[in-house]
């Protein structure tokens, strides 16, 4: 059984690279890198139990999830908060920021991944990790092994991808300094599409080569029966007996999914000049966080003694309601505007249907968060309290554990209440935004409160879970 899981993890690392190999256009990522980093974090976790360097790599990949999610905020900042004249300078600024961040954080993360693999390659028999071109008997004893070659290519790819995604945006400097009559300076920004194309193509080609190398490398690792067998034996004898480590990892993974789902519920409505349609439609449809809530319930199920049928039913209801809301919003803003409501019966009907679906989505969101509340209460009851393995557990200790449970559940009540406020603000936004422009700010404030309380509640629960299993 352990053999199959380790093989799946190794192949999963290769699959994660599918979301990372593609080039970005400034800060816009067609295949979001954070999905790849989520997969990497999950797939490296089992190997991280065996090797400390791989644990550092797992932490680094986990950090990259949040860094890459920051691109969503950057996109909202660029297209949602700035005036049109600042788009180009904002793109250049944020492209530079993420270029530097990816070089500083993504490169070390992958470097630690390969360093950890080479370490376990030194400790466990294998045919793939330390495979060299005749390392012991070669006339060139310093010849790189397969892992070192893939690592070198990976480092080069990360640097090239980060730099070439930013480089075309420097054309904005000539755009600002353009003086056709006195200096004859060429405005390079008029060729920005061509510049981005010339940067995109090399990164795409190198990325495809890198993806092929990574897939071949990790597939060959998964087929190394000697290596996988040795890891499986160690994992079965030393790791599987530690129940707490699996609980902590599962709860942490589910909390990560829940936080991402909560963040993605924020409506990011792009402000595009002369484009009313994009000005009104949510850039990230609520269908995505609805699906993530379903995934959260699936992952957390084994750690909480709560009604799984309710959680699945409310999540499916949320997915359906979010889909209906997105379709109705798309139709209304593609065909009509707010001013058309008083002039056209069809526009009024379409508007009423849109508001009804938004309200239905809000109700579904509240029901899902009630399920989250009950589920997390189950996690608190089952996996927090006195330290497991502690001797002399008395009645006083039991009472302290119950008091801790009450303290941990209080933030969850605030989180559930904030979800009601957040859902109501969504409906109010659609109803009143045309008359009261500040409703967008109100909606963002409610979203920020909900996300803050969600993160705070989960952080406290995670700390209590880690404390319970600290002696394992």
């Amino acid at each position: 059984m352990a053999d199959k899981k380790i093989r799946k993890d190794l192949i999963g690392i290769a699959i994660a690279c599918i979301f990372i190999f593609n080039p970005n256009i400034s800060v816009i990522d067609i295949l979001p890198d954070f999905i790849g980093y989520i997969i990497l974090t999950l797939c490296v976790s089992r190997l991280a139990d065996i090797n400390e360097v791989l644990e550092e790599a797992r932490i680094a990949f986990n950090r990259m999830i949040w860094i890459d999610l920051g691109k969503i905020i950057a996109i909202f900042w660029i297209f949602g908060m700035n005036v049109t004249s600042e788009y180009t300078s904002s793109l250049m600024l944020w492209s530079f920021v993420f270029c530097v961040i990816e070089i500083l954080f993504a490169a070390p993360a992958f470097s630690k991944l390969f360093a950890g693999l080479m370490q376990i390659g030194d400790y466990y028999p294998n045919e793939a990790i330390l495979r060299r071109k005749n390392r012991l008997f070669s006339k060139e004893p310093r010849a790189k092994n397969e892992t070192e070659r893939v690592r070198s290519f990976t480092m080069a790819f990360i640097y090239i991808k980060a730099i070439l995604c930013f480089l075309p945006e420097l054309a904005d400097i000539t755009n600002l300094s353009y003086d056709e009559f006195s200096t004859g300076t060429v405005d390079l920004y008029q060729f920005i599409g061509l510049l981005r194309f010339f940067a995109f193509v090399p990164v795409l080609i190198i990325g495809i080569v890198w993806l092929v190398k990574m897939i071949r490398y990790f597939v060959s690792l998964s087929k190394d029966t000697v290596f996988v067998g040795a890891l499986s034996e160690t994992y079965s004898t030393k790791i599987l007996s530690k129940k707490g480590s699996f609980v902590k990892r599962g709860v942490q993974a589910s909390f990560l999914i829940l936080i991402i789902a909560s963040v993605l519920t924020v409506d990011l409505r792009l402000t595009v000049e002369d484009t009313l349609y994009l000005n009104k439609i949510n850039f990230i449809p609520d269908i995505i966080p609805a699906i993530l809530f379903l995934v959260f319930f699936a992952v957390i199920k084994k750690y909480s003694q709560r009604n799984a049928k309710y959680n699945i039913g409310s999540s499916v209801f949320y997915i359906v309601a979010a889909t209906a809301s997105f379709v109705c919003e798309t139709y209304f803003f593609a065909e009509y505007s707010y001013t058309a409501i008083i002039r056209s019966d069809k526009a009024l009907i379409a508007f009423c249907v849109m508001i009804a679906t938004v309200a239905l989505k809000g109700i579904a969101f509240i029901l899902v968060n009630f399920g989250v509340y009950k589920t997390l209460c189950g996690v608190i009851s089952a996996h927090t309290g006195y330290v497991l393995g502690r001797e002399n557990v008395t009645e006083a200790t039991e009472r302290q554990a119950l008091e801790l449970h009450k303290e941990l559940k209080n933030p969850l009540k605030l989180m559930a209440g904030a979800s009601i406020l957040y859902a109501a603000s969504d409906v109010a936004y659609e109803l009143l935004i045309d008359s009261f422009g500040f409703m967008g700010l109100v909606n963002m404030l409610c979203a920020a409160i909900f996300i803050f309380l969600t993160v705070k509640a989960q952080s406290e629960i995670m700390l209590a879970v880690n404390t319970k299993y600290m002696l394992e």
Side-chain angles (χ1 to χ4, degrees), residues 81-94:
M81 299 182 69
N82 287 336
V83 296
T84 307
S85 60
E86 296 179 349
Y87 283 169
T88 57
S89 58
S90 295
L91 281 170
M92 182 177 67
L93 170 63
W94 285 108

Side-chain angles (χ1 to χ4, degrees), residues 16 23 63 65 84 109 165 171-172 209 229 231 294 299 315 344 410 412 457:
R63 186 183 299 117
I65 296 172
T84 307
C165 289
D172 183 56
V209 175
L231 285 182
L294 181 61
V299 175
S315 299
S344 170
N410 287 332
L412 294 180

Side-chain angles (χ1 to χ4, degrees), residues 26-141:
S26 185
V27 294
I28 299 173
D29 195 358
I30 300 172
L31 287 174
D33 288 357
F34 73 83
I35 297 177
Y37 289 122
I38 290 174
I39 298 173
L40 277 171
T41 301
L42 296 176
C43 291
V44 172
S45 295
R46 211 180 313 271
L47 296 173
D49 291 332
I50 300 174
N51 181 267
E52 292 182 359
V53 178
L54 287 175
E55 172 62 16
E56 293 177 5
R58 186 195 67 79
I59 294 171
F61 287 130
N62 187 56
R63 186 183 299 117
M64 283 304 302
I65 296 172
W66 302 108
I67 291 173
D68 201 68
L69 279 171
K71 290 180 181 177
I72 297 175
I73 299 174
I75 291 172
F76 174 71
W77 175 274
I78 294 167
F79 296 106
M81 299 182 69
N82 287 336
V83 296
T84 307
S85 60
E86 296 179 349
Y87 283 169
T88 57
S89 58
S90 295
L91 281 170
M92 182 177 67
L93 170 63
W94 285 108
S95 297
F96 174 73
V97 168
F98 283 104
C99 168
V100 173
I101 288 176
E102 287 188 10
I103 289 174
L104 291 178
F105 291 97
F110 278 99
S111 180
K112 289 175 181 177
L113 171 65
F114 289 109
L117 289 174
M118 284 192 289
Q119 274 194 9
I120 60 177
D122 286 328
Y123 292 126
Y124 299 98
N126 65 88
E127 299 175 354
I129 288 183
L130 295 179
R131 184 176 60 207
R132 295 176 183 266
K133 292 181 178 179
N134 224 352
R135 179 180 178 181
L136 297 178
F137 308 102
S138 173
K139 295 180 180 179
E140 300 179 1

Side-chain angles (χ1 to χ4, degrees), residues 408-460:
L408 292 173
K409 290 175 182 179
N410 287 332
L412 294 180
K413 295 176 183 178
L414 294 176
M415 182 190 74
S419 70
I420 298 174
L421 184 65
Y422 184 19
S425 71
D426 268 348
V427 179
Y429 174 89
E430 297 291 359
L431 278 171
L432 305 174
I433 186 61
D434 190 48
S435 302
F436 303 97
F438 63 84
M439 286 306 303
L441 180 60
V442 172
N443 183 241
M444 288 297 297
L445 181 61
C446 292
I449 293 172
F450 170 72
I451 293 170
F452 170 76
L453 291 175
T454 300
V455 173
K456 182 176 182 295
Q458 291 178 67
S459 299
E460 293 177 358

Side-chain angles (χ1 to χ4, degrees), residues 47-274:
L47 296 173
D49 291 332
I50 300 174
N51 181 267
E52 292 182 359
V53 178
L54 287 175
E55 172 62 16
E56 293 177 5
R58 186 195 67 79
I59 294 171
F61 287 130
N62 187 56
R63 186 183 299 117
M64 283 304 302
I65 296 172
W66 302 108
I67 291 173
D68 201 68
L69 279 171
K71 290 180 181 177
I72 297 175
I73 299 174
I75 291 172
F76 174 71
W77 175 274
I78 294 167
F79 296 106
M81 299 182 69
N82 287 336
V83 296
T84 307
S85 60
E86 296 179 349
Y87 283 169
T88 57
S89 58
S90 295
L91 281 170
M92 182 177 67
L93 170 63
W94 285 108
S95 297
F96 174 73
V97 168
F98 283 104
C99 168
V100 173
I101 288 176
E102 287 188 10
I103 289 174
L104 291 178
F105 291 97
F110 278 99
S111 180
K112 289 175 181 177
L113 171 65
F114 289 109
L117 289 174
M118 284 192 289
Q119 274 194 9
I120 60 177
D122 286 328
Y123 292 126
Y124 299 98
N126 65 88
E127 299 175 354
I129 288 183
L130 295 179
R131 184 176 60 207
R132 295 176 183 266
K133 292 181 178 179
N134 224 352
R135 179 180 178 181
L136 297 178
F137 308 102
S138 173
K139 295 180 180 179
E140 300 179 1
R142 294 186 179 181
K144 291 183 178 180
N145 64 26
E146 185 68 19
T147 304
E148 290 170 331
R149 287 194 293 272
V150 176
R151 179 177 64 178
S152 297
F153 196 89
T154 299
M155 294 300 102
F157 167 68
I158 291 172
Y159 278 84
I160 292 170
K161 177 182 176 181
I163 293 171
L164 288 186
C165 289
F166 161 66
L167 210 57
E169 307 308 320
L170 286 174
D172 183 56
I173 296 175
T174 63
N175 184 29
L176 295 175
S177 62
Y178 179 55
D179 188 353
E180 181 181 6
F181 300 102
S182 60
T183 64
T185 303
V186 177
D187 180 11
L188 292 178
Y189 204 82
Q190 63 182 316
F191 306 110
I192 187 62
L194 192 61
L195 293 173
R196 286 171 178 164
F197 174 78
F198 284 133
F200 184 91
V201 172
V203 177
L204 181 62
I205 294 173
I206 296 171
I208 292 173
V209 175
W210 174 74
L211 179 62
V212 171
K213 284 180 174 290
M214 292 290 280
I215 291 174
R216 289 178 59 186
Y217 175 73
F218 283 101
V219 168
S220 68
L221 276 185
S222 68
K223 292 181 178 179
D224 189 340
T225 55
V226 176
F227 173 65
V228 172
L231 285 182
S232 300
E233 183 179 355
T234 300
Y235 192 81
S236 299
T237 55
K238 295 183 179 181
I239 307 299
L240 286 179
S241 59
K242 298 179 180 180
K243 174 190 172 184
S245 61
F246 295 98
V247 173
K248 289 187 288 185
R249 181 189 302 157
V251 172
Q252 185 176 29
S254 63
F255 282 5
L256 175 62
I257 295 169
L258 180 58
I259 291 173
I260 293 174
S262 301
V263 171
L264 293 182
T265 59
V266 179
D267 289 341
L268 302 178
R269 303 174 191 272
L270 299 184
T271 303
V272 180
E273 190 176 9
D274 298 327

Side-chain angles (χ1 to χ4, degrees), residues 386-398:
Y386 58 84
V387 177
L388 197 66
R390 176 181 174 182
E391 297 180 358
N392 301 323
V393 177
T394 63
E395 292 184 4
T397 306
E398 294 285 357

